Amino acid sequence: MVNTLLLPELRELLTEQDTETLAAVLGDLHPASIAEFSEGLTVEETWQLLDHTSIDRQAEIFEFYPISKQVELVSGVGRDRMGRLIEVMSPDDRVDLLRRLDAEVVESLMPLVARAERQDIRMLLSFPEGSAGSVMTTEYATLPASVTVERAITLLRQQAPSRETIYYVYVVDDTQRLIGFLSLRDLILARSSAVVEDIMQRDVVTVRVDQDREEAARELARYDFLAIPVVDGQHRLVGIITHDDVIDVMMAEATEDALHMGGVTPIEENYLDAAFTTVWRRRALWLSALFVAELFTFTALASFEDAIQAIVALSLFVPLCISTGGNSGSQAATLITRALALGHVDTKAWFRVLRHELLMGLALGATLGAIAFVRAAMTPRAVLGNANPWMLALVISQSVAAICLWGTVVGSMLPLAFKRLGFDPGYASSPFVATFVDVTGIIIYFSIASLYLL
Amino acid sequence: MVNTLLLPELRELLTEQDTETLAAVLGDLHPASIAEFSEGLTVEETWQLLDHTSIDRQAEIFEFYPISKQVELVSGVGRDRMGRLIEVMSPDDRVDLLRRLDAEVVESLMPLVARAERQDIRMLLSFPEGSAGSVMTTEYATLPASVTVERAITLLRQQAPSRETIYYVYVVDDTQRLIGFLSLRDLILARSSAVVEDIMQRDVVTVRVDQDREEAARELARYDFLAIPVVDGQHRLVGIITHDDVIDVMMAEATEDALHMGGVTPIEENYLDAAFTTVWRRRALWLSALFVAELFTFTALASFEDAIQAIVALSLFVPLCISTGGNSGSQAATLITRALALGHVDTKAWFRVLRHELLMGLALGATLGAIAFVRAAMTPRAVLGNANPWMLALVISQSVAAICLWGTVVGSMLPLAFKRLGFDPGYASSPFVATFVDVTGIIIYFSIASLYLL
């Protein structure tokens, strides 16, 4: 939420050109706090504010603005100034920004950036979104294997100002191949005459640059690392992913999963800040698509109209049958999706999952079928019309059991199938799948009803 | 997933009592890796394995086992040995474990633990589950304000072996009140004669010990911190929460949210490892509860049986009307729940949200209503019976619009209400709410139908 409390004061300082106070505020507070309380400023005001501090500090603050505000800010400033800012931004954050700009804007900015930085940007931009390479930074600390601890600390002191972290240090050979790892704690505890290669860990956990960013996040989380090194096909160190970026990846993935399940296209802006018509268009598109899909329930029901004409009571149980399929399906899909996300299950285990869920579906179906039997047998005579209450109870309970089994199996297999095909398994909890289960549920219900009652 | 590849080899080493190889394996690999590949061992075998390394290393490995395995391991070993292990475990991990043991077991272990550790355990156990205090560790590094940088580094070197991190150092006064903060990077870059209080940051971001662990996680994530200090009501430093625990909190909360949405009680064990009957009981309980709730759709429909008898075509649109409420409701609930989780909206903004969602519900309802009108007007004569097709189209489209508005408003207000009442807002996406929307949808639909057609 944008903190609007300080905005008026901030605006006053800007109009009064109170350079001294502004410089103090920008210097003393944490960049994240500055970004937060100044988020409500206009593009022009924001650039005015940033004018009151050094370019390095500007970059630190800029990186904490939401990406949508960063994009806005780019369009409201001259290319020269933006070029200088991009030069000092951290490699991962500036690539995130550049990915979201028009190709034309990026090309106009690139010549303004120093050559080394330009190469770094082109390299990072070359990795596909969602890969480990797309979230890594190239500002890591390295050491040669042959130096002493004393010399290593001096080298680290020199690297410190421009490195994202100096707490994890990677040891590389002449060809940039990763051969070891050391923490600053190891260095501080070692004798100053010890040699790096004697105290370093040789067995380093790495991720490949083309692996999924989620896998990289999971590896870092599993080992409680501060950062995880990213290597290319030749085991050369090309970057590191730090703990804070892993947290961002996890939050992004959790949001994505939740929105998929709820049937909303991810919205990058804040909920209350996004334009009404944009949000309406996205939500309406989604709801309309679902509505059109759900029209098949009408078609399915209409084809059984004779059965409903004959025994109206049958129609009263339709919502119950439909919801049974939906609930059992989404329960199974959630369990499997989560198990996939946590790495407890993989697609190769599909047969074990199928067997497990077939049994589970039978057990669950029997439970619900029993409840359905009791309730259907208690249907009042008036509602029943000319139908036999025991026959009706039999039809309802068998249908509920069959639909529950069907929902459980479909719900458990779809996430695995989606994952195997390279889609997000979370889509299995999507309302489209629910609609499919609704329609098939109606067909199962009336097919069983036709068998017994017609 | 349990790595079963190495298990046979590991078992062979154990039966052969190959002490040398086992000691090497336990010494060289990362504790997380050892925990992972030995997870499949029996309780007895696990303790045999751990016998081959130092007690400190045992604790490191033990902490990486899933909590359910840790609990099993406790029951399979003498109190003495467990007491020694608990003494060297990290404060946050051992409290996690003790929380899950029977009170009686905890009380039998406590006398075996050194007094200082015992006090630490009792203190940490006193914080309610889900609070910042329940996930913090007490092994943080501190410095007095008056020492020089050179002396500070010596002090840190002494503290290093027993501290969870020495990269963030907290400066406290005589009464343990938090007055400043320094990173090891700051210390390494400072002149060795500089004094800590001159280079420390005085404006420290903290969380209170009784705050929600999710809020603490969000603060750390917001500032990209490695750790965040936890203070009591008197601003005295009582612990720190580190980045790896924040990642764990986030993963746990994401799982909890997803399972709530899918209607599954959180299962602590791995999906495929959990006992069939336990999982069946939990899933059946949930599905049965939903099924019983959904029985109200039958009751609602039965009360409109006369209308259905008169115009059977009405019953064909029931699933469509129901799903409209469900989809629009879950869309709104997901958006608001996520906005709450990300801190973009708070409960105080409920009126703004209500106004926004009322307008949105009208706009979305108009869209779906238009589609419904077209489709209903195209209903074939044969299905329609004696109903007027234009009247039917009017009823369906008005009902769909009204139900969409209703679903959107209910879906958006419930997460805020739940949050306000202290429940997890994620419950608003739960199937119980969906059932409520189903039943009310039926009532709205047939009330509108009765107005026009009967």
PDB file of all heavy atoms in Angstrom, chain A residues 1 36 157 160 164 185 188 222 226 270-271 294 323 343-344 357, chain B residues 1 36 157 160 185 188 222 226 270-271 294 323 343-344 357:
ATOM      1  N   MET A   1       0.823  -1.190   0.000  1.00  0.00           N
ATOM      2  CA  MET A   1       0.000   0.000   0.000  1.00  0.00           C
ATOM      3  C   MET A   1       0.867   1.253   0.000  1.00  0.00           C
ATOM      4  O   MET A   1       1.840   1.342   0.736  1.00  0.00           O
ATOM      5  CB  MET A   1      -0.835   0.001   1.270  1.00  0.00           C
ATOM      6  CG  MET A   1      -2.125   0.691   1.023  1.00  0.00           C
ATOM      7  SD  MET A   1      -3.235   0.458   2.364  1.00  0.00           S
ATOM      8  CE  MET A   1      -4.605   1.328   1.676  1.00  0.00           C
ATOM      9  N   GLU A  36       9.174   3.595  -0.870  1.00  0.00           N
ATOM     10  CA  GLU A  36       7.802   3.375  -0.450  1.00  0.00           C
ATOM     11  C   GLU A  36       7.058   4.683  -0.239  1.00  0.00           C
ATOM     12  O   GLU A  36       5.961   4.878  -0.757  1.00  0.00           O
ATOM     13  CB  GLU A  36       7.776   2.550   0.831  1.00  0.00           C
ATOM     14  CG  GLU A  36       6.435   1.935   1.081  1.00  0.00           C
ATOM     15  CD  GLU A  36       6.470   1.100   2.331  1.00  0.00           C
ATOM     16  OE1 GLU A  36       6.891   1.599   3.387  1.00  0.00           O
ATOM     17  OE2 GLU A  36       6.084  -0.061   2.246  1.00  0.00           O
ATOM     18  N   ARG A 157      38.037  -6.861   0.348  1.00  0.00           N
ATOM     19  CA  ARG A 157      37.789  -5.474   0.730  1.00  0.00           C
ATOM     20  C   ARG A 157      37.734  -4.602  -0.521  1.00  0.00           C
ATOM     21  O   ARG A 157      36.923  -3.690  -0.619  1.00  0.00           O
ATOM     22  CB  ARG A 157      38.894  -5.023   1.681  1.00  0.00           C
ATOM     23  CG  ARG A 157      38.561  -3.752   2.404  1.00  0.00           C
ATOM     24  CD  ARG A 157      39.602  -3.422   3.443  1.00  0.00           C
ATOM     25  NE  ARG A 157      39.437  -4.159   4.676  1.00  0.00           N
ATOM     26  CZ  ARG A 157      40.444  -4.657   5.397  1.00  0.00           C
ATOM     27  NH1 ARG A 157      41.693  -4.536   4.977  1.00  0.00           N
ATOM     28  NH2 ARG A 157      40.197  -5.291   6.516  1.00  0.00           N
ATOM     29  N   ALA A 160      34.419  -5.394  -2.338  1.00  0.00           N
ATOM     30  CA  ALA A 160      33.192  -5.189  -1.569  1.00  0.00           C
ATOM     31  C   ALA A 160      32.243  -4.121  -2.123  1.00  0.00           C
ATOM     32  O   ALA A 160      31.047  -4.382  -2.263  1.00  0.00           O
ATOM     33  CB  ALA A 160      33.525  -4.887  -0.105  1.00  0.00           C
ATOM     34  N   GLU A 164      27.292  -7.653  -4.912  1.00  0.00           N
ATOM     35  CA  GLU A 164      26.012  -7.785  -4.229  1.00  0.00           C
ATOM     36  C   GLU A 164      26.205  -8.434  -2.853  1.00  0.00           C
ATOM     37  O   GLU A 164      25.567  -8.064  -1.892  1.00  0.00           O
ATOM     38  CB  GLU A 164      25.025  -8.596  -5.075  1.00  0.00           C
ATOM     39  CG  GLU A 164      23.662  -8.654  -4.423  1.00  0.00           C
ATOM     40  CD  GLU A 164      22.513  -8.584  -5.409  1.00  0.00           C
ATOM     41  OE1 GLU A 164      22.690  -8.055  -6.529  1.00  0.00           O
ATOM     42  OE2 GLU A 164      21.423  -9.066  -5.050  1.00  0.00           O
ATOM     43  N   ARG A 185      32.740 -16.001   6.819  1.00  0.00           N
ATOM     44  CA  ARG A 185      32.922 -16.542   8.164  1.00  0.00           C
ATOM     45  C   ARG A 185      34.107 -17.506   8.203  1.00  0.00           C
ATOM     46  O   ARG A 185      34.923 -17.449   9.118  1.00  0.00           O
ATOM     47  CB  ARG A 185      31.643 -17.262   8.616  1.00  0.00           C
ATOM     48  CG  ARG A 185      31.673 -17.708  10.056  1.00  0.00           C
ATOM     49  CD  ARG A 185      30.685 -18.821  10.349  1.00  0.00           C
ATOM     50  NE  ARG A 185      29.312 -18.398  10.318  1.00  0.00           N
ATOM     51  CZ  ARG A 185      28.461 -18.497  11.351  1.00  0.00           C
ATOM     52  NH1 ARG A 185      28.851 -18.993  12.500  1.00  0.00           N
ATOM     53  NH2 ARG A 185      27.212 -18.125  11.224  1.00  0.00           N
ATOM     54  N   ILE A 188      37.272 -15.462   8.147  1.00  0.00           N
ATOM     55  CA  ILE A 188      37.539 -14.736   9.393  1.00  0.00           C
ATOM     56  C   ILE A 188      38.016 -15.678  10.485  1.00  0.00           C
ATOM     57  O   ILE A 188      38.809 -15.313  11.341  1.00  0.00           O
ATOM     58  CB  ILE A 188      36.262 -13.975   9.804  1.00  0.00           C
ATOM     59  CG1 ILE A 188      36.101 -12.775   8.882  1.00  0.00           C
ATOM     60  CG2 ILE A 188      36.269 -13.605  11.273  1.00  0.00           C
ATOM     61  CD1 ILE A 188      35.425 -11.601   9.501  1.00  0.00           C
ATOM     62  N   ARG A 222      16.625 -25.229   0.138  1.00  0.00           N
ATOM     63  CA  ARG A 222      16.905 -26.523   0.744  1.00  0.00           C
ATOM     64  C   ARG A 222      18.169 -26.480   1.597  1.00  0.00           C
ATOM     65  O   ARG A 222      18.232 -27.085   2.662  1.00  0.00           O
ATOM     66  CB  ARG A 222      17.074 -27.552  -0.366  1.00  0.00           C
ATOM     67  CG  ARG A 222      17.538 -28.888   0.135  1.00  0.00           C
ATOM     68  CD  ARG A 222      16.981 -29.985  -0.715  1.00  0.00           C
ATOM     69  NE  ARG A 222      17.446 -29.877  -2.087  1.00  0.00           N
ATOM     70  CZ  ARG A 222      17.974 -30.904  -2.747  1.00  0.00           C
ATOM     71  NH1 ARG A 222      18.093 -32.063  -2.152  1.00  0.00           N
ATOM     72  NH2 ARG A 222      18.344 -30.764  -3.998  1.00  0.00           N
ATOM     73  N   LEU A 226      22.820 -18.365   1.415  1.00  0.00           N
ATOM     74  CA  LEU A 226      22.645 -16.933   1.176  1.00  0.00           C
ATOM     75  C   LEU A 226      22.565 -16.653  -0.314  1.00  0.00           C
ATOM     76  O   LEU A 226      21.962 -15.687  -0.752  1.00  0.00           O
ATOM     77  CB  LEU A 226      23.882 -16.181   1.676  1.00  0.00           C
ATOM     78  CG  LEU A 226      23.902 -15.733   3.101  1.00  0.00           C
ATOM     79  CD1 LEU A 226      25.188 -14.977   3.362  1.00  0.00           C
ATOM     80  CD2 LEU A 226      22.727 -14.826   3.307  1.00  0.00           C
ATOM     81  N   ASN A 270      -0.748  -2.613  -8.305  1.00  0.00           N
ATOM     82  CA  ASN A 270      -1.502  -2.757  -7.071  1.00  0.00           C
ATOM     83  C   ASN A 270      -2.974  -2.871  -7.390  1.00  0.00           C
ATOM     84  O   ASN A 270      -3.460  -2.232  -8.328  1.00  0.00           O
ATOM     85  CB  ASN A 270      -1.307  -1.501  -6.220  1.00  0.00           C
ATOM     86  CG  ASN A 270      -0.118  -1.670  -5.311  1.00  0.00           C
ATOM     87  OD1 ASN A 270       0.621  -2.639  -5.443  1.00  0.00           O
ATOM     88  ND2 ASN A 270       0.053  -0.741  -4.410  1.00  0.00           N
ATOM     89  N   TYR A 271      -3.689  -3.628  -6.563  1.00  0.00           N
ATOM     90  CA  TYR A 271      -5.102  -3.860  -6.807  1.00  0.00           C
ATOM     91  C   TYR A 271      -5.890  -2.566  -6.979  1.00  0.00           C
ATOM     92  O   TYR A 271      -6.625  -2.384  -7.951  1.00  0.00           O
ATOM     93  CB  TYR A 271      -5.689  -4.702  -5.665  1.00  0.00           C
ATOM     94  CG  TYR A 271      -7.184  -4.658  -5.598  1.00  0.00           C
ATOM     95  CD1 TYR A 271      -7.935  -5.316  -6.564  1.00  0.00           C
ATOM     96  CD2 TYR A 271      -7.841  -3.952  -4.611  1.00  0.00           C
ATOM     97  CE1 TYR A 271      -9.312  -5.268  -6.523  1.00  0.00           C
ATOM     98  CE2 TYR A 271      -9.214  -3.904  -4.562  1.00  0.00           C
ATOM     99  CZ  TYR A 271      -9.943  -4.556  -5.521  1.00  0.00           C
ATOM    100  OH  TYR A 271     -11.298  -4.499  -5.481  1.00  0.00           O
ATOM    101  N   GLU A 294     -19.270 -23.085 -19.599  1.00  0.00           N
ATOM    102  CA  GLU A 294     -20.288 -23.641 -18.704  1.00  0.00           C
ATOM    103  C   GLU A 294     -21.637 -23.818 -19.423  1.00  0.00           C
ATOM    104  O   GLU A 294     -22.504 -24.552 -18.955  1.00  0.00           O
ATOM    105  CB  GLU A 294     -20.430 -22.739 -17.469  1.00  0.00           C
ATOM    106  CG  GLU A 294     -21.155 -23.341 -16.280  1.00  0.00           C
ATOM    107  CD  GLU A 294     -20.332 -24.391 -15.534  1.00  0.00           C
ATOM    108  OE1 GLU A 294     -19.084 -24.322 -15.575  1.00  0.00           O
ATOM    109  OE2 GLU A 294     -20.939 -25.280 -14.935  1.00  0.00           O
ATOM    110  N   SER A 323     -21.371 -30.447  -7.779  1.00  0.00           N
ATOM    111  CA  SER A 323     -20.419 -29.951  -6.781  1.00  0.00           C
ATOM    112  C   SER A 323     -19.550 -31.081  -6.244  1.00  0.00           C
ATOM    113  O   SER A 323     -18.409 -30.859  -5.866  1.00  0.00           O
ATOM    114  CB  SER A 323     -21.151 -29.242  -5.651  1.00  0.00           C
ATOM    115  OG  SER A 323     -21.863 -30.181  -4.886  1.00  0.00           O
ATOM    116  N   GLY A 343       8.303 -30.700  -4.473  1.00  0.00           N
ATOM    117  CA  GLY A 343       9.238 -31.728  -4.903  1.00  0.00           C
ATOM    118  C   GLY A 343       8.985 -33.085  -4.255  1.00  0.00           C
ATOM    119  O   GLY A 343       9.847 -33.957  -4.271  1.00  0.00           O
ATOM    120  N   HIS A 344       7.806 -33.293  -3.665  1.00  0.00           N
ATOM    121  CA  HIS A 344       7.505 -34.583  -3.021  1.00  0.00           C
ATOM    122  C   HIS A 344       7.098 -35.653  -4.038  1.00  0.00           C
ATOM    123  O   HIS A 344       7.083 -36.827  -3.732  1.00  0.00           O
ATOM    124  CB  HIS A 344       6.372 -34.437  -2.004  1.00  0.00           C
ATOM    125  CG  HIS A 344       6.755 -33.619  -0.810  1.00  0.00           C
ATOM    126  ND1 HIS A 344       5.867 -33.209   0.133  1.00  0.00           N
ATOM    127  CD2 HIS A 344       7.953 -33.139  -0.410  1.00  0.00           C
ATOM    128  CE1 HIS A 344       6.494 -32.502   1.051  1.00  0.00           C
ATOM    129  NE2 HIS A 344       7.754 -32.438   0.742  1.00  0.00           N
ATOM    130  N   GLU A 357      -4.824 -42.668  -6.038  1.00  0.00           N
ATOM    131  CA  GLU A 357      -6.029 -41.849  -6.141  1.00  0.00           C
ATOM    132  C   GLU A 357      -7.242 -42.665  -6.577  1.00  0.00           C
ATOM    133  O   GLU A 357      -8.371 -42.308  -6.262  1.00  0.00           O
ATOM    134  CB  GLU A 357      -5.796 -40.670  -7.079  1.00  0.00           C
ATOM    135  CG  GLU A 357      -4.821 -39.629  -6.524  1.00  0.00           C
ATOM    136  CD  GLU A 357      -5.281 -39.021  -5.199  1.00  0.00           C
ATOM    137  OE1 GLU A 357      -6.408 -38.509  -5.158  1.00  0.00           O
ATOM    138  OE2 GLU A 357      -4.523 -39.097  -4.216  1.00  0.00           O
TER     139      GLU A 357
ATOM    140  N   MET B   1      11.284 -35.383  -2.409  1.00  0.00           N
ATOM    141  CA  MET B   1      11.226 -36.803  -2.676  1.00  0.00           C
ATOM    142  C   MET B   1      12.430 -37.504  -2.056  1.00  0.00           C
ATOM    143  O   MET B   1      13.559 -37.033  -2.190  1.00  0.00           O
ATOM    144  CB  MET B   1      11.255 -37.023  -4.173  1.00  0.00           C
ATOM    145  CG  MET B   1      10.438 -38.212  -4.519  1.00  0.00           C
ATOM    146  SD  MET B   1      10.253 -38.361  -6.274  1.00  0.00           S
ATOM    147  CE  MET B   1       9.302 -39.856  -6.265  1.00  0.00           C
ATOM    148  N   GLU B  36      18.850 -35.704   3.334  1.00  0.00           N
ATOM    149  CA  GLU B  36      17.996 -36.113   2.235  1.00  0.00           C
ATOM    150  C   GLU B  36      18.209 -37.577   1.862  1.00  0.00           C
ATOM    151  O   GLU B  36      17.258 -38.344   1.763  1.00  0.00           O
ATOM    152  CB  GLU B  36      18.257 -35.221   1.034  1.00  0.00           C
ATOM    153  CG  GLU B  36      17.153 -35.305   0.022  1.00  0.00           C
ATOM    154  CD  GLU B  36      17.433 -34.372  -1.137  1.00  0.00           C
ATOM    155  OE1 GLU B  36      18.510 -34.463  -1.741  1.00  0.00           O
ATOM    156  OE2 GLU B  36      16.568 -33.556  -1.432  1.00  0.00           O
ATOM    157  N   ARG B 157      34.956 -12.646  15.843  1.00  0.00           N
ATOM    158  CA  ARG B 157      35.641 -13.914  15.602  1.00  0.00           C
ATOM    159  C   ARG B 157      35.369 -14.875  16.750  1.00  0.00           C
ATOM    160  O   ARG B 157      35.165 -16.069  16.548  1.00  0.00           O
ATOM    161  CB  ARG B 157      37.134 -13.648  15.438  1.00  0.00           C
ATOM    162  CG  ARG B 157      37.899 -14.790  14.859  1.00  0.00           C
ATOM    163  CD  ARG B 157      39.338 -14.420  14.574  1.00  0.00           C
ATOM    164  NE  ARG B 157      39.505 -13.700  13.319  1.00  0.00           N
ATOM    165  CZ  ARG B 157      40.323 -12.657  13.171  1.00  0.00           C
ATOM    166  NH1 ARG B 157      41.025 -12.193  14.192  1.00  0.00           N
ATOM    167  NH2 ARG B 157      40.443 -12.091  12.002  1.00  0.00           N
ATOM    168  N   ALA B 160      31.699 -16.027  16.432  1.00  0.00           N
ATOM    169  CA  ALA B 160      31.334 -16.692  15.174  1.00  0.00           C
ATOM    170  C   ALA B 160      30.877 -18.144  15.313  1.00  0.00           C
ATOM    171  O   ALA B 160      29.829 -18.509  14.780  1.00  0.00           O
ATOM    172  CB  ALA B 160      32.467 -16.574  14.175  1.00  0.00           C
ATOM    173  N   ARG B 185      30.188  -6.313   6.321  1.00  0.00           N
ATOM    174  CA  ARG B 185      30.754  -5.581   5.195  1.00  0.00           C
ATOM    175  C   ARG B 185      31.154  -4.161   5.630  1.00  0.00           C
ATOM    176  O   ARG B 185      32.234  -3.687   5.289  1.00  0.00           O
ATOM    177  CB  ARG B 185      29.733  -5.503   4.053  1.00  0.00           C
ATOM    178  CG  ARG B 185      30.302  -4.907   2.780  1.00  0.00           C
ATOM    179  CD  ARG B 185      29.216  -4.365   1.851  1.00  0.00           C
ATOM    180  NE  ARG B 185      28.412  -5.384   1.222  1.00  0.00           N
ATOM    181  CZ  ARG B 185      28.317  -5.555  -0.110  1.00  0.00           C
ATOM    182  NH1 ARG B 185      28.995  -4.782  -0.934  1.00  0.00           N
ATOM    183  NH2 ARG B 185      27.535  -6.482  -0.597  1.00  0.00           N
ATOM    184  N   ILE B 188      34.335  -4.423   7.640  1.00  0.00           N
ATOM    185  CA  ILE B 188      35.517  -4.739   6.836  1.00  0.00           C
ATOM    186  C   ILE B 188      35.971  -3.535   6.031  1.00  0.00           C
ATOM    187  O   ILE B 188      37.152  -3.353   5.755  1.00  0.00           O
ATOM    188  CB  ILE B 188      35.192  -5.953   5.938  1.00  0.00           C
ATOM    189  CG1 ILE B 188      35.194  -7.194   6.806  1.00  0.00           C
ATOM    190  CG2 ILE B 188      36.155  -6.061   4.771  1.00  0.00           C
ATOM    191  CD1 ILE B 188      35.585  -8.451   6.120  1.00  0.00           C
ATOM    192  N   ARG B 222      10.888  -7.031   2.224  1.00  0.00           N
ATOM    193  CA  ARG B 222      10.789  -5.687   1.673  1.00  0.00           C
ATOM    194  C   ARG B 222      12.151  -5.007   1.606  1.00  0.00           C
ATOM    195  O   ARG B 222      12.459  -4.294   0.654  1.00  0.00           O
ATOM    196  CB  ARG B 222       9.844  -4.868   2.547  1.00  0.00           C
ATOM    197  CG  ARG B 222       9.779  -3.426   2.131  1.00  0.00           C
ATOM    198  CD  ARG B 222       8.425  -2.863   2.382  1.00  0.00           C
ATOM    199  NE  ARG B 222       8.088  -2.934   3.793  1.00  0.00           N
ATOM    200  CZ  ARG B 222       7.603  -1.889   4.466  1.00  0.00           C
ATOM    201  NH1 ARG B 222       7.450  -0.743   3.851  1.00  0.00           N
ATOM    202  NH2 ARG B 222       7.272  -2.022   5.724  1.00  0.00           N
ATOM    203  N   LEU B 226      19.234  -9.795   5.357  1.00  0.00           N
ATOM    204  CA  LEU B 226      19.671 -11.157   5.670  1.00  0.00           C
ATOM    205  C   LEU B 226      18.976 -11.661   6.925  1.00  0.00           C
ATOM    206  O   LEU B 226      18.785 -12.848   7.108  1.00  0.00           O
ATOM    207  CB  LEU B 226      21.169 -11.150   5.990  1.00  0.00           C
ATOM    208  CG  LEU B 226      22.143 -11.297   4.872  1.00  0.00           C
ATOM    209  CD1 LEU B 226      23.544 -11.327   5.434  1.00  0.00           C
ATOM    210  CD2 LEU B 226      21.836 -12.620   4.186  1.00  0.00           C
ATOM    211  N   ASN B 270       4.996 -36.071   3.554  1.00  0.00           N
ATOM    212  CA  ASN B 270       5.021 -36.129   2.100  1.00  0.00           C
ATOM    213  C   ASN B 270       3.749 -36.777   1.596  1.00  0.00           C
ATOM    214  O   ASN B 270       3.229 -37.688   2.230  1.00  0.00           O
ATOM    215  CB  ASN B 270       6.192 -37.011   1.644  1.00  0.00           C
ATOM    216  CG  ASN B 270       7.423 -36.188   1.462  1.00  0.00           C
ATOM    217  OD1 ASN B 270       7.431 -35.005   1.809  1.00  0.00           O
ATOM    218  ND2 ASN B 270       8.448 -36.791   0.923  1.00  0.00           N
ATOM    219  N   TYR B 271       3.300 -36.337   0.424  1.00  0.00           N
ATOM    220  CA  TYR B 271       2.050 -36.851  -0.126  1.00  0.00           C
ATOM    221  C   TYR B 271       2.008 -38.371  -0.199  1.00  0.00           C
ATOM    222  O   TYR B 271       1.064 -39.009   0.256  1.00  0.00           O
ATOM    223  CB  TYR B 271       1.824 -36.230  -1.509  1.00  0.00           C
ATOM    224  CG  TYR B 271       0.813 -36.956  -2.331  1.00  0.00           C
ATOM    225  CD1 TYR B 271      -0.540 -36.878  -2.025  1.00  0.00           C
ATOM    226  CD2 TYR B 271       1.203 -37.751  -3.402  1.00  0.00           C
ATOM    227  CE1 TYR B 271      -1.473 -37.559  -2.773  1.00  0.00           C
ATOM    228  CE2 TYR B 271       0.277 -38.432  -4.156  1.00  0.00           C
ATOM    229  CZ  TYR B 271      -1.059 -38.342  -3.843  1.00  0.00           C
ATOM    230  OH  TYR B 271      -1.985 -39.017  -4.581  1.00  0.00           O
ATOM    231  N   GLU B 294     -23.762 -28.751   0.744  1.00  0.00           N
ATOM    232  CA  GLU B 294     -24.297 -28.622  -0.612  1.00  0.00           C
ATOM    233  C   GLU B 294     -25.712 -29.218  -0.713  1.00  0.00           C
ATOM    234  O   GLU B 294     -26.441 -28.917  -1.666  1.00  0.00           O
ATOM    235  CB  GLU B 294     -23.324 -29.293  -1.594  1.00  0.00           C
ATOM    236  CG  GLU B 294     -23.495 -28.959  -3.057  1.00  0.00           C
ATOM    237  CD  GLU B 294     -23.064 -27.543  -3.425  1.00  0.00           C
ATOM    238  OE1 GLU B 294     -22.171 -26.986  -2.760  1.00  0.00           O
ATOM    239  OE2 GLU B 294     -23.636 -26.993  -4.372  1.00  0.00           O
ATOM    240  N   SER B 323     -22.730 -21.669 -11.388  1.00  0.00           N
ATOM    241  CA  SER B 323     -21.310 -21.507 -11.682  1.00  0.00           C
ATOM    242  C   SER B 323     -20.948 -20.037 -11.859  1.00  0.00           C
ATOM    243  O   SER B 323     -19.832 -19.630 -11.565  1.00  0.00           O
ATOM    244  CB  SER B 323     -20.917 -22.308 -12.924  1.00  0.00           C
ATOM    245  OG  SER B 323     -21.479 -21.717 -14.067  1.00  0.00           O
ATOM    246  N   GLY B 343       0.053  -6.839   0.967  1.00  0.00           N
ATOM    247  CA  GLY B 343       0.004  -5.561   1.661  1.00  0.00           C
ATOM    248  C   GLY B 343      -0.474  -4.414   0.787  1.00  0.00           C
ATOM    249  O   GLY B 343      -0.287  -3.251   1.115  1.00  0.00           O
ATOM    250  N   HIS B 344      -1.112  -4.703  -0.343  1.00  0.00           N
ATOM    251  CA  HIS B 344      -1.605  -3.633  -1.211  1.00  0.00           C
ATOM    252  C   HIS B 344      -2.927  -3.046  -0.717  1.00  0.00           C
ATOM    253  O   HIS B 344      -3.345  -1.988  -1.158  1.00  0.00           O
ATOM    254  CB  HIS B 344      -1.833  -4.153  -2.646  1.00  0.00           C
ATOM    255  CG  HIS B 344      -0.565  -4.515  -3.343  1.00  0.00           C
ATOM    256  ND1 HIS B 344      -0.531  -5.158  -4.547  1.00  0.00           N
ATOM    257  CD2 HIS B 344       0.728  -4.305  -3.008  1.00  0.00           C
ATOM    258  CE1 HIS B 344       0.721  -5.334  -4.914  1.00  0.00           C
ATOM    259  NE2 HIS B 344       1.496  -4.841  -4.000  1.00  0.00           N
ATOM    260  N   GLU B 357     -15.845  -2.915  -6.158  1.00  0.00           N
ATOM    261  CA  GLU B 357     -16.360  -4.225  -6.573  1.00  0.00           C
ATOM    262  C   GLU B 357     -17.848  -4.164  -6.942  1.00  0.00           C
ATOM    263  O   GLU B 357     -18.321  -4.965  -7.738  1.00  0.00           O
ATOM    264  CB  GLU B 357     -16.110  -5.268  -5.485  1.00  0.00           C
ATOM    265  CG  GLU B 357     -14.631  -5.600  -5.310  1.00  0.00           C
ATOM    266  CD  GLU B 357     -14.003  -6.176  -6.577  1.00  0.00           C
ATOM    267  OE1 GLU B 357     -14.530  -7.155  -7.128  1.00  0.00           O
ATOM    268  OE2 GLU B 357     -12.976  -5.624  -7.030  1.00  0.00           O
TER     269      GLU B 357
END
